[in-house]
Amino acid sequence: MWMYKYSNGQISLADFRQPVGMHLKEDNRWVKKAQTIPWLEIENRYAALFTNRKGNVAKPLRLALGACIIQAEYGFSDEETAQMIQEHPYFQYFCGYSGYDDSKLPFDPSLMVYFRKRLTPEILGEINEMILSEAQKEENRHDDGHGNGGNRGTMIVDATCAPSNIRYPQDASLLNEARENTEKLLDELHDSADGRKPRTYRTQAHRDFLQFSRSRKKTAKKIRKAVGKQLRHLARNLAAIEEKLALGRTLAERKAARLAAIRTLYEQQKYMYDHCCHTVPDRIVSVSQPFLRPIVRGKAGKPVEFGAKLDISVVNGWTRLECFSFDAYNEARNLSAMAERFWKREGHYPSRILADKIYRNRENLRFCKEHGIRLSGPALGRPKKDEIRNKTLDFLDECERVEVERRFSLAKRKYGLGLIMTRLRETIAHSVAMSILVLNLRKIQCALLRLLAFLVLWLVPQKKQPLFS
């Protein structure tokens, strides 16, 4: 049975019982990464989240948080994450083991869902601030050359979508999936003592959908006909379920939530079918994940994505999750709140904010003018007759604004933000927040490597070059 040992909030690598015939290196990235996280402070604040429940053995917070960081770093599945921690001594050191132990899994893989539910975006945001506060103590805080009165610093903001791993939502396919779900619910609610089971015509409905889905050319007339058939089948099933529920039958909480989502889906699809339209407020695009919404981005190749929308801010290379929602929203409305949070952290407003054109509305321009903040981009409306724009300044602002795009690109390519694989509302929010936290851990690691390389070059004597060759 292993236990935790701390030395000023960290486990010393010298105290770690290493595997026979193997010597762990101090300069390993996971050792360095473990040393940059204030584990003891995080444990003291959030250890109560992982206390004993119903007689199960409590898992330490460091093990839970470390497992989530490892999973976000490599994109492992829950089973692979537990197996990797069991097999690798560096992962075990990072997760707080007192010594290498490969005799059993550190936890049941199903507990990863429990870890993700407990580590909410709010908690991960506070942990992210703890890590950043420790990292910024080592930095030289000089003015970045863009001071304006009492304001200092630059904040770069932007929004994006974190698409979820769902099938592209087609009306006929959604209705067919909902129909199949209602058939299973009806089978569960039916009792043989009630007599004959209500007819669902499931074989004919399945045959109709297969005939439609296999047709090579789906015209508007064919689509409408297929949607109408599935709507009638679904309406019959929902009516039969209502009769069973009226007799006093009950469903489990999860299945009752699924039935409520199917009812809403039916109402939306029926409205669009009757009114010959394709839009409806809060449209459901997934039966299993009814909280997902279409996010219109207008990008080439992906005009619409289905997932969560988020805002981030980048200050001195450090990334923060500013806003997160499953519903589409106008990101320009969050600019003033982001600036206020910057003031609470730093004690002053930024001297400039680099953002897209969508952020340059009248409210944001008025707010920035009142607080002495320069918001990048051209003025609203037509250019004035004698106006002379500083094109060099605009070009430099746009070049520096690319930093937030780099953050998005790295998070989507490396840390799972490009395709969210989790399925619950809470776990999707955790995955988004965890990707931001891992981004900052990567920056700390890169800064340490640059400092190490500088020290090596400074300490190694340079050969004197002759004046004349």
Side-chain angles (χ1 to χ4, degrees):
M1 185 70 179
W2 56 271
M3 60 184 299
Y4 281 79
K5 293 181 181 179
Y6 288 100
S7 176
N8 296 326
Q10 298 290 351
I11 299 177
S12 172
L13 190 61
D15 296 333
F16 183 79
R17 296 193 303 272
Q18 303 185 15
V20 178
M22 183 176 182
H23 178 69
L24 302 187
K25 299 179 180 179
E26 287 280 356
D27 59 351
N28 181 268
R29 55 177 172 167
W30 286 101
V31 176
K32 296 292 185 183
K33 191 174 295 188
Q35 296 171 355
T36 60
I37 301 177
W39 294 110
L40 185 57
E41 182 182 356
I42 296 173
E43 285 272 4
N44 293 336
R45 189 165 183 178
Y46 298 110
L49 294 173
F50 296 89
T51 55
N52 263 335
R53 291 175 180 272
K54 299 181 180 179
N56 295 327
V57 178
K59 300 300 179 184
L61 172 62
R62 177 162 180 175
L63 176 61
L65 181 59
C68 292
I69 292 175
I70 292 171
Q71 186 180 50
E73 181 76 28
Y74 293 106
F76 293 146
S77 65
D78 294 347
E79 293 79 5
E80 290 172 336
T81 302
Q83 292 171 359
M84 286 295 180
I85 295 175
Q86 179 189 11
E87 296 169 0
H88 291 267
Y90 283 114
F91 287 169
Q92 293 187 9
Y93 172 79
F94 181 76
C95 292
Y97 276 54
S98 62
Y100 179 67
D101 180 14
D102 62 347
S103 60
K104 62 178 181 178
L105 290 174
F107 51 82
D108 189 90
S110 62
L111 285 180
M112 287 295 295
V113 179
Y114 170 77
F115 295 162
R116 289 191 288 265
K117 286 183 177 180
R118 290 293 175 181
L119 295 171
T120 62
E122 292 76 18
I123 293 176
L124 289 179
E126 294 179 6
I127 293 175
N128 189 40
E129 289 298 329
M130 294 179 190
I131 296 173
L132 295 187
S133 63
E134 292 293 328
Q136 289 173 346
K137 289 179 182 178
E138 307 298 330
E139 289 187 341
N140 295 323
R141 297 191 177 186
H142 298 295
D143 189 12
D144 62 355
H146 299 283
N148 184 13
N151 297 352
R152 297 188 304 277
T154 300
M155 183 171 68
I156 313 173
V157 299
D158 202 359
T160 190
C161 176
S164 293
N165 185 32
I166 64 171
R167 183 178 67 251
Y168 190 85
Q170 295 178 335
D171 294 339
S173 178
L174 284 173
L175 289 171
N176 178 70
E177 183 181 358
R179 176 190 59 79
E180 292 176 347
N181 277 263
T182 54
E183 291 169 357
K184 295 178 181 179
L185 293 176
L186 193 57
D187 293 341
E188 180 179 346
L189 291 172
H190 178 69
D191 189 354
S192 58
D194 296 338
R196 187 175 181 181
K197 183 188 297 184
R199 299 191 65 176
T200 58
Y201 299 94
R202 64 184 69 189
T203 304
Q204 182 62 38
H206 181 65
R207 187 182 298 114
D208 292 339
F209 177 73
L210 285 182
Q211 183 179 5
F212 165 75
S213 61
R214 291 173 179 174
S215 61
R216 301 184 65 179
K217 187 174 182 180
K218 298 180 178 63
T219 62
K221 186 176 180 180
K222 283 185 178 180
I223 295 174
R224 182 172 175 82
K225 183 178 180 180
V227 169
K229 287 183 178 180
Q230 296 299 321
L231 278 173
R232 289 187 286 273
H233 289 299
L234 183 57
R236 184 187 301 109
N237 294 350
L238 288 175
I241 291 175
E242 292 297 335
E243 293 178 359
K244 296 295 182 182
L245 294 177
L247 296 176
R249 307 291 162 71
T250 58
L251 290 170
E253 181 179 358
R254 185 176 179 181
K255 294 181 179 179
R258 176 65 61 86
L259 178 60
I262 292 174
R263 287 171 179 160
T264 305
L265 173 66
Y266 171 76
E267 293 173 358
Q268 292 178 352
Q269 294 291 334
K270 188 69 166 60
Y271 176 85
M272 291 187 291
Y273 181 81
D274 294 339
H275 294 80
C276 298
C277 62
H278 300 283
T279 58
V280 67
D282 297 328
R283 182 174 181 177
I284 293 178
V285 294
S286 174
V287 176
S288 60
Q289 297 171 277
F291 48 86
L292 296 180
R293 297 289 178 266
I295 306 297
V296 179
R297 298 192 62 202
K299 304 290 185 179
K302 287 187 178 180
V304 181
E305 290 183 336
F306 308 95
K309 191 173 183 179
L310 63 140
D311 279 284
I312 69 169
S313 66
V314 180
V315 179
N316 295 329
W318 306 111
T319 309
R320 291 178 174 87
L321 180 63
E322 299 286 353
C323 182
F324 175 85
S325 175
F326 288 103
D327 296 320
Y329 62 88
N330 187 349
E331 54 265 32
R333 299 176 182 175
N334 300 321
L335 185 67
S336 59
M338 287 189 255
E340 293 293 345
R341 285 192 286 270
F342 183 97
W343 178 80
K344 290 181 180 180
R345 292 193 306 266
E346 306 292 339
H348 56 81
Y349 288 101
S351 62
R352 59 175 182 164
I353 296 178
L354 307 182
D356 275 336
K357 292 181 179 179
I358 192 174
Y359 289 89
R360 291 184 60 82
N361 55 28
R362 297 185 184 277
E363 291 77 10
N364 290 339
L365 290 173
R366 187 183 304 111
F367 174 85
C368 292
K369 185 176 181 181
E370 291 174 355
H371 296 87
I373 304 171
R374 181 174 69 83
L375 183 59
S376 65
L380 297 179
R382 295 182 179 180
K384 297 180 181 179
K385 184 176 181 181
D386 299 329
E387 180 183 11
I388 300 177
R389 290 288 303 172
N390 189 341
K391 295 184 178 180
T392 302
L393 182 62
D394 293 342
F395 176 76
L396 293 176
D397 287 346
E398 188 62 26
C399 289
E400 293 186 40
R401 197 194 68 81
V402 174
E403 177 65 22
V404 72
E405 303 292 349
R406 295 194 189 102
R407 300 290 96 189
F408 282 143
S409 176
L410 182 59
K412 290 190 174 185
R413 288 185 295 107
K414 183 71 171 65
Y415 300 126
L417 198 65
L419 187 64
I420 304 297
M421 303 301 294
T422 50
R423 300 183 62 82
L424 301 179
R425 181 190 290 265
E426 301 87 350
T427 55
I428 291 175
H430 164 91
S431 299
V432 173
M434 181 57 68
S435 65
I436 303 301
L437 188 147
V438 178
L439 274 179
N440 291 321
L441 291 178
R442 180 187 179 92
K443 182 182 184 302
I444 295 174
Q445 183 180 354
C446 292
L448 291 175
L449 291 176
R450 285 195 296 268
L451 179 60
L452 180 62
F454 173 77
L455 292 176
V456 170
L457 293 176
W458 183 68
L459 293 175
V460 174
Q462 301 291 330
K463 294 182 179 180
K464 294 184 178 181
Q465 299 293 333
L467 295 178
F468 302 97
S469 58

